[in-house]
Amino acid sequence: MMKRPVGFDTAAQENYHAEERRPVGEAAAGESVPAVVSAAVPTVSPPATKSPRFSARIAQAVADANDFRPVGSAETPQAAPGQEPDAAAAELGTENLAAAPHAEPAADLAAVSPAETLAVTPRGEDLAAAQKQQKIRIKQARRRLARAERAKTRAFRFWQRQLTVSRRRQLRRLGVGAMMIALLGVLVGIAVLTPALAVKEIQVSGGSDELNSTVSEALYPLQGKPLAFVKDAEVHETLQQFALIQDYDVQRVPPGQLIVQLTERTAVLALPRGEKFTIVDAAGVELMVAEVLPDGLPLAVGDGISKVGTKQFFAAAAVLRDIPAELRSQVAEVSAAGAQSIELKMRDGVVVRWGGAQDTPLKAVIYSKMAAALADQEISVIDVSATEAPVYQ
């Protein structure tokens, strides 16, 4: 049994709350104060200066102390109601009250019986079994620690192998990339430093035979030069001296072929310039100057059409550009009072009133059919300016 210091008893606290409003020395209804309290504590009385509430608390604590008995001690004789307790009982109550507030932990140990002490302390076979169990637990702990260390080592080696494989892959990729770059450099070196990919043949097409031959001779200096280093600027600088070339396209075909495709300008009109003639295309670009009027080329008649840049000139040039080449070769002269009043004089003397440059392909078809249908008749004028109602005279 464990002792509880006086003043900290739960019953005393409950009694205090129940009796806190009771006057000093007054008992509750139906209760009587034990005689042992007054007999055992003749000298322990609260000072007169304390409050009634504090005095009641002290009185209850003294009563609880008189009820406490040490383990193994003899029972304190109780006085019968109405009798005075003897001196031994009073002295014992005083000693208990004096010793209770200063109880030490040693008193608690002394209160434990020897049987209880033996039941707690292991002895003999129980001690050996406990030591054996402790050794088993230590061995198990060591095994778990060893397994954890081995697992840690295996995980470290696994990640180390993974990093090694990844590094090898990266190095392999870098090696392949370096080999490709080196191979490309070798190919470039072969193209630049050796004649394996040099220009060996220049092929020109798209223009007339005379123009193609002339352009091939002009491009001859490019032969022997690395094909990859033939720049478009060099080709353009060579071809811009030829006015007959309207456009061109350059193709490089390994190992050493250079192909130039030309688009030649079409001469559509001859402009009189004194005793000479200036040959122009539909855009008014001067192609050449001839002393004699070329065969099959129409002659511009009139001041408006003879000047490059006027509305009459561009309208007449557009008509001559869009009609078939066979029909254009049959035109002897072209005149135009305005952009919508173009007239073509054919070599057989028939005047064709063409009108404007719109619907030129349709007008060319109408004229060809009318000329073929009226071939056995003498006519002087064919009017196709109104495609819905062509007429003739």
Side-chain angles (χ1 to χ4, degrees):
M1 179 181 295
M2 300 296 292
K3 295 180 181 180
R4 289 179 295 180
V6 177
F8 291 88
D9 187 69
T10 306
Q13 295 179 6
E14 294 176 356
N15 292 333
Y16 166 71
H17 290 295
E19 301 291 335
E20 60 181 353
R21 298 185 180 273
R22 186 183 301 172
V24 178
E26 182 179 350
E31 296 181 1
S32 61
V33 178
V36 67
V37 175
S38 59
V41 195
T43 60
V44 182
S45 61
T49 58
K50 298 297 181 177
S51 63
R53 183 179 301 177
F54 184 77
S55 299
R57 184 175 181 182
I58 293 298
Q60 186 64 35
V62 171
D64 295 337
N66 287 324
D67 291 338
F68 179 75
R69 296 289 183 275
V71 177
S73 62
E75 293 292 335
T76 303
Q78 297 293 334
Q83 297 181 1
E84 294 293 332
D86 55 4
E91 183 178 357
L92 180 58
T94 305
E95 290 176 359
N96 293 338
L97 182 61
H102 305 285
E104 296 294 335
D108 296 338
L109 295 177
V112 180
S113 63
E116 295 177 351
T117 304
L118 292 176
V120 174
T121 304
R123 298 180 59 188
E125 296 178 356
D126 296 339
L127 180 60
Q131 292 177 353
K132 185 177 181 180
Q133 292 294 331
Q134 185 177 8
K135 290 180 181 179
I136 293 174
R137 287 194 296 269
I138 291 173
K139 289 182 180 180
Q140 292 176 353
R142 288 177 179 175
R143 291 193 190 100
R144 290 194 296 268
L145 180 61
R147 286 196 296 269
E149 290 292 339
R150 289 194 296 269
K152 180 179 178 181
T153 303
R154 287 194 297 268
F156 175 76
R157 291 177 180 175
F158 172 77
W159 287 113
Q160 191 175 21
R161 287 194 299 269
Q162 292 294 326
L163 291 175
T164 303
V165 171
S166 177
R167 186 175 299 174
R168 288 177 181 175
R169 290 176 181 174
Q170 292 179 357
L171 293 176
R172 191 181 299 112
R173 291 173 183 174
L174 290 176
V176 172
M179 291 178 60
M180 295 297 294
I181 294 175
L183 180 60
L184 181 61
V186 171
L187 294 177
V188 172
I190 292 174
V192 174
L193 302 177
T194 64
L197 296 177
V199 177
K200 299 181 179 64
E201 180 184 359
I202 299 177
Q203 181 179 351
V204 180
S205 60
S208 61
D209 295 339
E210 183 180 358
L211 179 62
N212 292 343
S213 177
T214 306
V215 172
S216 297
E217 293 178 1
L219 296 175
Y220 182 78
L222 296 179
Q223 287 191 352
K225 189 173 183 178
L227 188 63
F229 285 0
V230 176
K231 299 180 180 179
D232 292 340
E234 295 181 83
V235 179
H236 178 73
E237 184 178 358
T238 303
L239 299 182
Q240 69 177 355
Q241 58 182 323
F242 299 96
L244 290 176
I245 299 176
Q246 180 178 350
D247 196 7
Y248 66 90
D249 182 41
V250 180
Q251 297 180 1
R252 300 167 181 82
V253 180
Q257 188 177 14
L258 182 66
I259 300 177
V260 180
Q261 182 71 29
L262 303 178
T263 301
E264 187 176 359
R265 295 181 183 275
T266 301
V268 297
L269 197 60
L271 305 180
R273 296 291 184 263
E275 296 180 356
K276 297 182 179 181
F277 302 93
T278 301
I279 311 302
V280 296
D281 66 348
V285 177
E286 183 177 337
L287 303 181
M288 58 184 302
V289 176
E291 296 181 356
V292 180
L293 181 65
D295 294 338
L297 193 64
L299 176 64
V301 177
D303 295 337
I305 196 174
S306 299
K307 295 180 180 179
V308 177
T310 61
K311 294 181 180 180
Q312 296 92 320
F313 170 82
F314 285 118
V319 170
L320 296 173
R321 178 196 61 194
D322 294 339
I323 62 178
E326 182 181 359
L327 180 58
R328 182 170 55 246
S329 63
Q330 298 176 12
V331 179
E333 297 178 356
V334 180
S335 61
Q340 299 297 324
S341 302
I342 301 171
E343 289 185 357
L344 306 178
K345 186 177 181 180
M346 311 305 290
R347 296 187 185 277
D348 58 2
V350 178
V351 176
V352 180
R353 295 175 182 173
W354 202 269
Q358 61 273 14
D359 299 329
T360 295
L362 179 59
K363 293 177 182 179
V365 172
I366 294 173
Y367 167 75
S368 300
K369 290 183 177 182
M370 291 182 68
L374 300 174
D376 56 346
Q377 300 182 22
E378 294 184 2
I379 58 175
S380 59
V381 177
I382 296 178
D383 190 345
V384 295
S385 58
T387 57
E388 296 83 359
V391 294
Y392 65 94
Q393 294 179 2

